[in-house]
Amino acid sequence: MIDLRTILLSFAFILLLPGHAEAGIFNRKNKVAEPGRDSNVAKYAVINGDTVPTFEIMEVNVYGRRTYSNKRQQKQYDKLTRNVIKMYPISQEIKSILIETYLMLQAMPDEKDREKHIKDVEDGVWEQYYPVMRKCTLAQGKLLIKLIDRECNQTSYELIDAFAGHFKARFYQAFAALFGATLKKEYEPDFNDEDQIIEEIIWMIDNGTI
């Protein structure tokens, strides 16, 4: 398990390499807004000769802790909940580090300064996250791969391929496969039942109900 954790940490370092904006991070799943789509023009209806503005009310989903009559299912759900609570903040932190590092690199015209900054960030990430990752289970490592895709809109494999090239992407993928993991794993709450449950748990975390 120590090797898989090292792979995940190495992947986090690769995220910090320059050029990620050009590589398309945060763009794969984002939709381009249509002209006028976000304007505040109200629709209207004519009722008994009067023009009445009408508005579409967005559907809001409210989630709570799931309960199962099957003890095994309940145990699996509670375990998944604990794992999401632990790994979700890490995926958010990785995204924040990625954005902050890129902005800093853009402000550094000197290549030597850029390389030094990347090295400093790598050292900081290793010092901060290695003790955390040492305590992670294989299930939590797989979950983190999913959550990184959720936060960055790119699979781990796509990110490594964009930053470090096909060889390293294939190497890390093959290595992860030894532990039953895949860096190509996508987060698909619309199609995957477990991902839908993860999304519900994240909603509860974001809204302070769990």
Side-chain angles (χ1 to χ4, degrees):
M1 186 53 207
I2 183 66
D3 291 325
L4 180 57
R5 289 193 292 262
T6 303
I7 287 295
L8 290 172
L9 282 170
S10 298
F11 163 66
F13 298 157
I14 290 172
L15 288 180
L16 305 177
L17 294 175
H20 55 67
E22 293 80 2
I25 291 183
F26 312 120
N27 292 329
R28 174 167 60 84
K29 298 173 185 174
N30 291 348
K31 295 181 180 179
V32 178
E34 298 176 7
R37 188 68 176 268
D38 298 325
S39 60
N40 295 320
V41 178
K43 296 180 180 180
Y44 66 90
V46 178
I47 303 176
N48 297 327
D50 293 328
T51 301
V52 180
T54 61
F55 301 90
E56 294 183 4
I57 299 177
M58 294 180 59
E59 179 180 346
V60 177
N61 296 316
V62 179
Y63 301 106
R65 178 176 178 270
R66 291 195 180 197
T67 57
Y68 298 88
S69 57
N70 185 292
K71 291 184 178 180
R72 182 172 176 274
Q73 285 182 300
Q74 189 65 55
K75 185 176 181 180
Q76 289 176 335
Y77 174 80
D78 292 341
K79 180 180 179 181
L80 179 61
T81 299
R82 292 192 298 270
N83 287 345
V84 174
I85 290 173
K86 180 176 182 178
M87 306 312 291
Y88 176 51
I90 296 177
S91 68
Q92 291 182 304
E93 290 167 8
I94 289 175
K95 178 182 178 180
S96 297
I97 292 172
L98 180 117
I99 295 174
E100 181 182 355
T101 302
Y102 175 71
L103 293 176
M104 287 291 294
L105 293 176
Q106 289 296 94
M108 296 179 180
D110 187 85
E111 184 64 25
K112 187 175 181 180
D113 290 339
R114 290 161 62 93
E115 292 178 357
K116 181 181 183 302
H117 181 68
I118 292 174
K119 182 63 169 60
D120 291 341
V121 173
E122 288 180 354
D123 292 343
V125 170
W126 182 268
E127 181 179 354
Q128 180 178 352
Y129 289 104
Y130 183 68
V132 177
M133 296 305 295
R134 284 193 63 186
K135 299 178 182 179
C136 288
T137 64
L138 178 59
Q140 290 169 346
K142 290 180 178 180
L143 176 61
L144 180 59
I145 291 173
K146 277 190 178 184
L147 294 177
I148 288 175
D149 180 51
R150 181 185 188 273
E151 294 302 309
C152 298
N153 293 324
Q154 294 278 321
T155 66
S156 302
Y157 184 89
E158 289 170 331
L159 290 169
I160 296 174
D161 186 36
F163 301 149
H166 297 296
F167 177 79
K168 282 193 175 181
R170 290 195 296 268
F171 171 78
Y172 283 122
Q173 170 64 11
F175 201 93
L178 294 177
F179 299 91
T182 173
L183 299 179
K184 296 181 180 181
K185 190 67 176 178
E186 294 186 8
Y187 182 74
E188 301 178 304
D190 294 333
F191 306 103
N192 183 286
D193 291 340
E194 182 180 83
D195 291 356
Q196 173 58 46
I197 295 175
I198 293 172
E199 193 65 22
E200 293 177 9
I201 297 170
I202 290 175
W203 184 94
M204 289 187 282
I205 294 173
D206 289 342
N207 287 275
T209 61
I210 191 173

